[in-house]
Amino acid sequence: MESLVIVGASLAGLSAARAARNLGFAGRLVIIGDDPQRPYDRPPLSKDFLAGRIELEDLALETDDEALEAEWILGTRAVSFDATTRLVHLEDGRSVRADGLVIATGASPRSLPQLAGSANVVSLRTVADAQRLRGLLAAGRRLVVVGAGFIGAEVASTAHALGLDVTVLEKSPTPLCGPLGTELGGVVAGLHERAGVELICGVDIEEFEFTGGSVSAVRLAGGRVLPADVVVVGIGAAPNTAWLEGSGIELGNGVLCDAVGATSIPGVVAVGDCAAWWEPGTGRHHRVEHWTGAAERPAVAVGALLGADPAGLPAVKPPYFWSDQYGTRLQFAGDASRADRVAYEHGGPGQDSLLAVYYAGDEPVAVLAWNQTRLFCRWRKTLEKLAVAAVQSLAA
């Protein structure tokens, strides 16, 4: 393999580049990204960066002594890949040959078409989005957040601390009922209520009212009208895979991969938010849209791509994420969709901290902690050991 091309210049792409060099790849390394910025850390965008406690230079992911010896092509996106010629075609007309290809194009926020072009509406994904939103948040203004997922909740928390009047709207019965389940999603709802932020769940938006080019109010089904100076839309993200249509790479809800990130085309792997890896424990493909997955899984995928000894590659760990909201920390690991019950190992609903373990029969499959970092770390290690044992059992 003479050339390795990484499409996507965020954490997953940078992690893939580091893994390639660490594994001894000495050929041409090209990193392509549509964002003009060098790789930066995204989690602080909804928290410390949005609050003005840190600046752009504090987000940098590269170290001063980074020696990747890579060619960077930034500010232009890949528009297609030809598996026969092995060429990645860019929107500026250039093409780059890829003996090996790492797809790390991430995901884009889902939008509400009726809000397109509105001056005071933001979907937070990039540093440019965060800079724009930072300029809109001022004490005393009224913020309506559409979507009570991680981004929506963290923006609500930050804005509340900055002195804004915040209302959060969620179509589902509870926040985060997808990843956490309804019962624990209800516990998360209490974080908003305790902070004095109004959370309205199970609600439909009837229409947005406009004054000039900005949203001035949100009308809910049932007739209630919420005045709005700023609107943040956080209703999930869709994988950036349109550029791969017609390439022969199998697509679904993301780039479909095996259990180590390999796609249906030899010499092509996918990592990060756009990648749907096969999960042996559940028998399905699953996209892991979290920082830890983007940091850790590229080493596995690139190792497989370069033909490294599988025994020497790191194990694929269960999904893990954390979220800082209203001065508290939520931590989660595993897959709640497999669970048939939840047991509280510490605390419980209405208390100041808790640790809840999700079980499928007698098998623990996930854990959620709120202000219980030490206990959580123990349970996370337990889940990792169980996951490794399950994979080894399937391979035997």
Side-chain angles (χ1 to χ4, degrees), residues 207-221:
E207 67 173 333
F208 293 94
E209 299 179 0
F210 295 84
T211 300
S214 299
V215 175
S216 55
V218 181
R219 183 181 296 275
L220 306 181

Side-chain angles (χ1 to χ4, degrees), residues 9-12 14-15 18 38-43 57-64 66 291:
S10 58
L11 174 63
L14 179 62
S15 298
R18 287 170 171 163
R38 298 281 283 220
Y40 55 85
D41 208 15
R42 294 184 188 273
E57 57 270 19
D58 300 308
L59 300 174
L61 288 172
E62 296 171 272
T63 61
D64 292 337
E66 199 95 40
W291 190 96

Side-chain angles (χ1 to χ4, degrees), residues 159-392:
H160 176 69
L162 291 173
L164 281 81
D165 179 8
V166 182
T167 302
V168 181
L169 307 178
E170 174 55 52
K171 192 171 185 177
S172 299
T174 70
L176 302 169
C177 64
L180 301 185
T182 303
E183 179 181 348
L184 272 302
V187 173
V188 174
L191 297 179
H192 297 279
E193 295 164 3
R194 290 185 181 200
V197 170
E198 185 176 17
L199 169 67
I200 307 174
C201 290
V203 65
D204 287 316
I205 295 173
E206 187 173 283
E207 67 173 333
F208 293 94
E209 299 179 0
F210 295 84
T211 300
S214 299
V215 175
S216 55
V218 181
R219 183 181 296 275
L220 306 181
R224 183 178 175 186
V225 177
L226 302 173
D229 299 304
V230 187
V231 175
V232 170
V233 178
I235 54 174
N240 294 326
T241 59
W243 70 284
L244 296 169
E245 292 177 3
S247 67
I249 295 172
E250 190 176 359
L251 305 175
N253 179 23
V255 181
L256 300 186
C257 305
D258 67 11
V260 294
T263 73
S264 56
I265 297 294
V268 180
V269 299
V271 297
D273 292 3
C274 69
W277 286 27
W278 180 256
E279 300 283 355
T282 60
R284 61 183 175 88
H285 290 94
H286 177 57
R287 286 197 304 121
V288 176
E289 301 179 78
H290 305 299
W291 190 96
T292 306
E296 295 178 346
R297 292 194 174 196
V300 178
V302 172
L305 178 65
L306 297 177
D309 181 358
L313 296 177
V316 178
K317 297 178 181 179
Y320 162 71
F321 62 78
W322 77 91
S323 180
D324 297 320
Q325 303 174 24
Y326 306 108
T328 69
R329 169 157 286 198
L330 293 169
Q331 293 171 286
F332 180 88
D335 183 358
S337 69
R338 299 174 57 195
D340 52 38
R341 65 185 176 93
V342 174
Y344 293 94
E345 299 286 331
H346 175 87
Q351 299 187 33
D352 292 333
S353 66
L354 64 81
L355 186 129
V357 182
Y358 298 72
Y359 288 89
D362 293 329
E363 178 191 1
V365 294
V367 60
L368 172 71
W370 169 26
N371 287 342
Q372 278 295 326
T373 300
R374 184 174 296 178
L375 281 177
F376 174 83
C377 289
R378 293 176 187 170
W379 269 104
R380 184 185 176 196
K381 290 178 181 178
T382 297
L383 292 177
E384 290 173 357
K385 291 178 182 177
L386 290 172
V388 170
V391 171
Q392 291 173 341

Side-chain angles (χ1 to χ4, degrees), residues 13-93:
L14 179 62
S15 298
R18 287 170 171 163
R21 292 306 193 206
N22 289 339
L23 288 167
F25 177 71
R28 184 189 184 199
L29 179 62
V30 183
I31 304 173
I32 300 166
D34 58 353
D35 196 317
Q37 301 285 347
R38 298 281 283 220
Y40 55 85
D41 208 15
R42 294 184 188 273
L45 295 182
S46 57
K47 301 182 279 288
D48 288 343
F49 183 82
L50 189 60
R53 290 189 289 268
I54 62 175
E55 297 301 330
L56 181 58
E57 57 270 19
D58 300 308
L59 300 174
L61 288 172
E62 296 171 272
T63 61
D64 292 337
D65 59 350
E66 199 95 40
L68 292 176
E69 297 182 0
E71 300 174 37
W72 293 84
I73 303 176
L74 301 177
T76 187
R77 69 181 67 244
V79 295
S80 66
F81 172 64
D82 188 320
T84 302
T85 63
R86 309 296 296 190
L87 291 177
V88 176
H89 300 286
L90 309 182
E91 64 181 347
D92 64 6

